[in-house]
Amino acid sequence: MSPLEFFLIFLKASAITFTGMGSLPILQQELVQFHGWTTDEQIAKAVAIGRLSPGPNGMYAVSIGYVVMGWLGALLALLGSVLPPLIIIPLAPLVRRSIHRPWVDGLMRGIGLGSAGLLLSVGVGLVAPNGFSLAGPGPWNLALAVLGFALTRTGKLHPAIPLGVAGVAGVVLSMAGL
Amino acid sequence: MVGDHPGELARRAGPSLIDLARAWIAVGSQSLGGGSSTLYMMRAVLVERRKWVAPDMFRECWAIGQASPGMHLVALSGMLGERMAGLPGLVVSVAAMVLPSALITVLFTAGLVEIEQHPLVQSLLRGVIPAIGGMTVAMATFFGQTSARRGRVAVVDWLVVGGTAVLIARTGVPVLFILLGAAVLGAFALRPVAARPNPPGRD
């Protein structure tokens, strides 16, 4: 893999999505499905680290960069993630004028809803690697996912709390051989 | 303070780059818990404690930043830095906010790589990975809620969310094309319900 190609994946993931976590579906598709450079499990660990680290949620991308390509990968992931949002600075006067136009509002809504759907698919994929199959996830995986969902849903708890509870549950399940 | 009066964009004698870097390092390294706590910390440091940015300026930059691609908080830090100290302020603000956070993230990752084969860590991850799946679904529903319109049309918006999820899971179409399709659909069919045609004689 070339560093330039790696950088461009992160740049694209940040440039065509909104918010830090919005880039997750593109990174998952490019790095896991298209190139096979990492796994869904590594992506999940990176998201967990990103939630536990200070700063914006989008820093999870730096963790993925480090796992795949070491310090250079972390730097490329950081640059690729940080540069696209800055385009708004020269465009600020234009945005100020046009942000309330109905078609702009609709366009941004379309991207927001599309990103939500893509993120939903990634989340389900982490619980049920076979996707929307009839077999479904194992009951304990499903219970842990519901726990993570419920403790995150209100947005009032620090992410370390659901992750800590789930980690303890994982230890108990492993000790019980489940 | 930048923006003492509404609409004022003129720059006055702002903070030094060293002071600016110190403030953003505090924001980037101490705001635990993700975006909302980082935003809270930015406001607490820049608006309330240091008084470098007026509340109305902070609000305006935040609103514009919501239209940026990628991490909105990076856009916000760049905009505020540029308003406070020009182009050097932009560079210093963004770098000082993201570098400590990125460094801590890499150190956490390197630490996990070192110990992840330990049975206890494997057991912890056995619980954490499905929970991350659930947390990602929670984030998706939050995105959906913030984007969806109110009232009956919300059903249409949530169908777009569900349809997109099924489309990507079933077909593996590149995400870029899905988002472009969603943007075009949105521009034509997902406009605000309350929008009415402009009055005659107005553009």
Side-chain angles (χ1 to χ4, degrees), chain B residues 33-148:
Chain B
S36 53
S37 76
T38 309
L39 182 67
Y40 174 82
M41 186 115 184
M42 270 188 199
R43 197 179 189 290
V45 170
L46 301 173
V47 178
E48 287 157 22
R49 200 178 309 160
R50 307 273 192 160
K51 301 192 187 306
W52 289 335
V53 178
D56 64 304
M57 174 65 69
F58 191 87
R59 268 196 305 275
E60 184 193 309
C61 288
W62 176 82
I64 293 170
Q66 294 302 296
S68 78
M71 288 184 271
H72 295 161
L73 292 174
V74 170
L76 178 57
S77 74
M79 263 186 289
L80 291 172
E82 198 270 337
R83 298 278 169 94
M84 287 186 281
L87 186 60
L90 185 164
V91 175
V92 166
S93 297
V94 172
M97 184 181 78
V98 302
L99 285 177
S101 170
L103 184 63
I104 293 168
T105 302
V106 169
L107 293 177
F108 278 178
T109 309
L112 182 61
V113 168
E114 284 296 313
I115 62 170
E116 70 180 332
Q117 295 310 320
H118 191 283
L120 179 63
V121 179
Q122 286 291 314
S123 301
L124 286 166
L125 290 173
R126 190 256 176 273
V128 164
I129 287 172
I132 282 289
M135 291 167 77
T136 306
V137 171
M139 222 173 293
T141 57
F142 176 73
F143 276 13
Q145 273 181 334
T146 52
S147 300

Side-chain angles (χ1 to χ4, degrees), chain A residues 8-156:
Chain A
L8 290 176
I9 288 173
F10 284 87
L11 190 76
K12 180 173 82 172
S14 174
I16 62 168
T17 57
F18 288 139
T19 78
M21 292 302 292
S23 59
L24 182 60
I26 296 187
L27 293 179
Q28 192 268 347
Q29 189 178 56
E30 291 278 351
L31 300 174
V32 179
Q33 294 177 25
F34 290 173
H35 295 287
W37 290 338
T38 188
T39 61
D40 279 336
E41 194 178 307
Q42 285 293 353
I43 297 259
K45 287 180 208 166
V47 172
I49 288 169
R51 299 305 307 270
L52 293 173
S53 302
N57 283 333
M59 285 294 144
Y60 81 94
V62 175
S63 177
I64 296 177
Y66 179 81
V67 167
V68 177
M69 208 190 257
W71 283 96
L72 176 62
L75 180 65
L76 295 172
L78 179 64
L79 286 175
S81 303
V82 163
L83 291 177
L86 301 178
I87 190 70
I88 202 72
I89 295 170
L91 295 179
L94 178 69
V95 172
R96 201 180 292 119
R97 279 199 306 275
S98 58
I99 200 165
H100 297 297
R101 292 184 187 212
W103 72 269
V104 175
D105 189 281
L107 183 142
M108 289 175 63
R109 176 172 297 108
I111 295 175
L113 295 171
S115 298
L118 295 171
L119 206 53
L120 179 65
S121 177
V122 172
V124 170
L126 290 175
V127 184
N130 296 326
F132 296 101
S133 70
L134 291 174
W140 290 111
N141 277 8
L142 189 59
L144 287 161
V146 170
L147 178 80
F149 177 87
L151 293 179
T152 310
R153 189 68 194 87
T154 60
K156 290 178 181 167

Side-chain angles (χ1 to χ4, degrees), chain B residues 15-29:
Chain B
S16 73
L17 293 179
I18 300 280
D19 286 342
L20 206 53
R22 281 194 188 129
W24 284 109
I25 286 171
V27 171
S29 62

